[in-house]
Amino acid sequence: MNGDQKLDVCDKSKQNFFQHFSQIVKVLTEEDMGCPERGDAIARLKEVLEYNVPGGKCNRGLTVLTTFQDLVEPKKQDADSLQRAMTVGWCVELLQAFFLVVDDIMDSSLTRRGKVCWYQKPGIGLDAINDAVLLEACVYRLLKLYCREQPYYLNLIELFLQTAYQTELGQSLDLITAPQGNVDLGRFTEKRFKSIVKNKTSFYSFYLPVAAAMYMAGIDGEEEHAIAKKILLEIGELFQSQDDYLDLFGDPSVTGKIGTDIQDNKCSWLVTQCLQRCSPEQRQILQENYGQKEAEKVARVKALYEELNLPAVFLQWEEDRYNHLTDLIEQHSAPLPPTIFLKLLQSIYRRQK
C-alpha cells in the first residue's frame, strides 16, 4: 500500500468514525424518547450528547479505531468488529466529555472547543453536573450493548473504571495543589506536576484508547500492557506540557479556548519552569500576581515568563522530548508495532491546538 492509499484509508476511517456518532446518539436515546415517564430526560440527554461529545479533534476515540486496525489482520476486520471499535472509541470520547464538563465548572472556564461551556449556557448552570454524570453512565450502556458477548468485555469495563478512578484522583491532586485564594509556590514542584499529569491526563488520553484496542485485538498480556503504558504515559506528559504552553501562548482562535491557568493557580509546566529559573525578586513578583483574576496581574506573570525566555525554553524542551520518545519507541516497543506509538507522537508534535 503506497502513501496515497494509506491516506485514503485513514481519511475513510475518520469519516466512518464521525458518521457513527449519529448511531451512538440513536442507540442511547431512541427507545425512550417517546416514553411518558422519561421522555423529557432523554430529550435533555440527546441535547447534552450533541453539544458536548463531538466538536473536538476526537483523537482519543480515533486512536481506538486506528490502533485496532493496526493490530488486527485486515481479513479479521469485519463490519461488526469495526463497528465495535468505533463504539469503544466514542466511549472514550464520552468519558472525555464527562471530565471536561465538570472540569470547566471547577475551573470557571468560559469557552470549550470554540463555543460557550455547557454550564455557562442560559438555563443550564450547575444542572450540568448531572448532565456530566449521565455522559459517564452512557459509556457503560454502550459497552454492554455492543461488547457484552465479547471475550474482552470484562477487561474493557475494568479499564474504563480504573481510568475514571485515576483521572479523578489526578483532578483531586490538581485541586489540592491549586486551591483558590491560597497561592503556595512551594507546592509547584516538577514532581507534583508529573504526578498530576500522569493521573489526570496521560492515562485516559493515551493509555486508555490504545489499551482498549489491544484488548479488542486479543492482546491482554501484562508485559505488553506495561510496555504500552510506559511509552504512552510519557507521550501524555509531552501533551499536557504543550497544553500548558498553549493555555498562555497559544492563539484562542486556534485552540478554541481562553486560557485561565494563571488565574486558576494551576501547577502548570510554565510555573514549575519559572520557579526553577527565577531570582528571589522575580519569585516575589510571581507570589504577588499568580492565582489572581485581575488582567494586569495575569499580564505581569506572562511578562515574567517572557523575561525568563520560557517560550524558547519550551520549544527546545519539546524538541528534546520528541527525540527522546522516538528513541524510546524504537528501542522498547517490541513486541508491539512501533507505528501505533509513533503515529500518536507525530500527531501531537509541535501542535498548535
Side-chain angles (χ1 to χ4, degrees):
M1 188 181 292
N2 63 35
D4 289 340
Q5 287 174 316
K6 287 182 179 178
L7 192 61
D8 289 342
V9 170
C10 182
D11 288 344
K12 184 64 175 176
S13 295
K14 185 178 288 190
Q15 181 183 358
N16 290 341
F17 180 78
F18 284 111
Q19 288 176 346
H20 188 57
F21 181 66
S22 60
Q23 178 66 21
I24 295 293
V25 175
K26 184 177 180 181
V27 165
L28 289 170
T29 62
E30 187 177 56
E31 183 179 341
D32 291 329
M33 187 64 83
C35 173
E37 291 182 358
R38 299 192 291 179
D40 288 349
I42 296 299
R44 167 65 169 243
L45 172 60
K46 186 173 188 290
E47 184 184 2
V48 171
L49 289 166
E50 291 175 342
Y51 192 90
N52 293 288
V53 181
K57 300 181 290 293
C58 291
N59 286 339
R60 295 166 182 83
L62 281 163
T63 295
V64 178
L65 176 60
T66 58
T67 303
F68 178 80
Q69 291 172 315
D70 285 340
L71 293 173
V72 175
E73 296 177 54
K75 64 183 180 182
K76 294 183 179 178
Q77 296 177 29
D78 59 21
D80 287 343
S81 67
L82 289 171
Q83 183 181 63
R84 284 191 292 270
M86 288 190 290
T87 300
V88 173
W90 280 111
C91 286
V92 174
E93 293 296 327
L94 279 161
L95 191 68
Q96 152 95 335
F98 158 57
F99 294 147
L100 295 184
V101 170
V102 293
D103 192 60
D104 285 342
I105 297 170
M106 286 182 271
D107 288 348
S108 302
S109 297
L110 302 175
T111 59
R112 169 72 65 181
R113 294 171 172 169
K115 57 187 181 182
V116 175
C117 293
W118 176 247
Y119 83 99
Q120 290 274 12
K121 284 177 63 66
I124 303 297
L126 294 183
D127 290 356
I129 297 170
N130 190 67
D131 296 331
V133 174
L134 275 172
L135 289 171
E136 185 188 29
C138 287
V139 170
Y140 300 100
R141 287 194 66 207
L142 287 170
L143 290 176
K144 181 178 178 181
L145 287 167
Y146 281 85
C147 302
R148 190 180 187 183
E149 303 303 320
Q150 301 304 313
Y152 50 74
Y153 176 58
L154 180 59
N155 281 329
L156 287 184
I157 292 290
E158 291 182 343
L159 176 64
F160 274 90
L161 288 170
Q162 180 65 25
T163 299
Y165 176 66
Q166 284 208 219
T167 306
E168 288 149 14
L169 282 180
Q171 177 72 350
S172 291
L173 283 173
D174 191 17
L175 295 170
I176 291 165
T177 308
Q180 291 292 311
N182 180 18
V183 180
D184 181 359
L185 298 181
R187 295 173 183 259
F188 298 153
T189 64
E190 191 167 355
K191 182 178 179 181
R192 175 52 66 97
F193 169 75
K194 288 175 179 286
S195 182
I196 292 170
V197 170
K198 174 184 174 181
N199 289 283
K200 183 181 176 181
T201 301
S202 299
F203 203 90
Y204 94 87
S205 294
F206 292 92
Y207 179 63
L208 168 62
V210 173
M214 288 170 65
Y215 283 130
M216 296 181 80
I219 302 171
D220 57 7
E222 289 184 11
E223 180 186 356
E224 290 90 339
H225 279 265
I227 291 167
K229 188 180 295 184
K230 175 177 173 54
I231 294 170
L232 294 163
L233 293 184
E234 288 205 36
I235 293 176
E237 183 183 327
L238 170 59
F239 177 85
Q240 183 59 53
S241 302
Q242 292 170 323
D243 245 24
D244 291 353
Y245 171 79
L246 293 171
D247 180 87
L248 185 61
F249 293 107
D251 181 350
S253 68
V254 176
T255 64
K257 58 184 178 181
I258 300 168
T260 60
D261 281 357
I262 293 172
Q263 299 94 311
D264 293 337
N265 192 28
K266 290 293 185 182
C267 181
S268 76
W269 186 91
L270 288 168
V271 76
T272 60
Q273 295 299 314
C274 174
L275 287 165
Q276 290 176 27
R277 291 168 168 78
C278 66
S279 67
E281 293 78 16
Q282 289 171 321
R283 185 184 176 101
Q284 185 59 36
I285 291 170
L286 190 65
Q287 181 70 54
E288 292 169 356
N289 293 278
Y290 202 74
Q292 309 295 321
K293 303 295 184 185
E294 294 86 349
E296 62 272 16
K297 293 190 174 183
V298 175
R300 187 66 191 91
V301 174
K302 184 176 183 180
L304 175 59
Y305 289 169
E306 290 170 335
E307 287 170 26
L308 293 168
N309 209 25
L310 288 190
V313 170
F314 171 78
L315 293 175
Q316 184 59 55
W317 178 88
E318 181 184 35
E319 187 72 23
D320 292 343
R321 291 305 296 173
Y322 175 82
N323 292 332
H324 160 75
L325 285 164
T326 300
D327 290 343
L328 179 68
I329 291 165
E330 290 174 350
Q331 293 172 21
H332 298 289
S333 62
L336 298 168
T339 52
I340 65 175
F341 305 110
L342 289 170
K343 283 197 297 188
L344 276 174
L345 179 59
Q346 288 158 5
S347 73
I348 67 168
Y349 178 52
R350 291 187 173 176
R351 68 189 180 94
Q352 298 301 308
K353 63 178 181 177

